[in-house]
């Protein structure tokens, strides 16, 4: 079954942790509060509970070429439990399975640049800190 398609010019934020609905609400509120524009298409379907990155990569590579998406952001247990709600960004096309964390504060920048193809996934992934988290570029 292919991944859901994000709304036009937004990134897919896929809920994978279903332990606390209040945390999911807080994640969405944090992402929506960072910018006036909508940058996320939220998907909360139990079929994605605990899904592994490899399974998403495999599912996406099996999809029709026209239905494929380049990347996805996972709201997993780490996202739900940490105060800055760091989503797990997953590359599904160039280097399938490559990941990095992106806190809610930086999500609009990453989402917009990936959606518009202004930047590649690797440019953000190569700019992570020691914890594997993107916290902006040096000039930000």
């Amino acid at each position: 079954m292919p991944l859901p398609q994000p709304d036009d010019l937004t990134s897919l934020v896929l809920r994978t942790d279903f332990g606390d609905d209040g945390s999911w609400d807080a994640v969405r509120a944090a992402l929506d509060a960072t910018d006036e524009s909508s940058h996320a298409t939220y998907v909360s379907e139990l079929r994605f509970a605990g899904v592994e990155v490899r399974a998403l990569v495999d599912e996406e590579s099996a999809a029709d070429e026209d239905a494929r998406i380049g990347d996805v952001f996972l709201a997993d247990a780490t996202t739900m439990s940490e105060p800055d709600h760091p989503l797990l960004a997953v590359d599904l096309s160039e280097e399938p399975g490559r990941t990095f964390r992106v806190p809610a504060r930086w999500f609009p920048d990453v989402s917009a640049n990936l959606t518009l193809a202004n930047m590649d996934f690797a440019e953000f992934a190569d700019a992570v800190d020691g914890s594997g988290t993107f916290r902006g570029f040096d000039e930000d």
Side-chain angles (χ1 to χ4, degrees):
M1 184 181 319
L3 291 172
Q5 291 294 310
D7 293 337
D8 193 31
L9 298 179
T10 65
S11 294
L12 185 64
V13 175
L14 191 64
R15 182 182 183 185
T16 65
D17 181 273
F18 289 83
D20 181 359
D21 288 341
S23 293
W24 173 237
D25 293 341
V27 168
R28 289 183 299 150
L31 294 174
D32 290 343
T34 58
D35 198 302
E36 311 81 51
S37 302
S38 176
H39 292 279
T41 296
Y42 299 108
V43 175
S44 178
E45 297 177 11
L46 282 174
R47 73 180 179 109
F48 295 113
V51 71
E52 298 289 329
V53 169
R54 175 58 29 208
L56 294 172
V57 169
D58 291 346
E59 187 169 321
E60 195 60 11
S61 67
D64 290 335
E65 193 170 327
D66 292 343
R68 291 183 187 165
I69 59 175
D71 49 73
V72 65
F73 295 84
L74 304 184
D76 59 6
T78 300
T79 307
M80 302 295 188
S81 64
E82 292 191 11
D84 59 351
H85 303 296
L87 297 166
L88 183 65
V90 179
D91 187 345
L92 297 173
S93 63
E94 297 300 316
E95 296 178 67
R98 187 173 186 189
T99 64
F100 66 89
R101 291 271 172 197
V102 59
R105 183 242 185 275
W106 295 106
F107 176 74
D109 294 335
V110 175
S111 174
N113 281 294
L114 290 177
T115 300
L116 298 173
N118 287 337
M119 297 178 74
D120 294 329
F121 190 95
E123 291 177 85
F124 293 103
D126 290 345
V128 299
D129 63 16
S131 72
T133 303
F134 177 79
R135 298 185 195 280
F137 295 104
D138 289 339
E139 65 271 4
D140 287 340

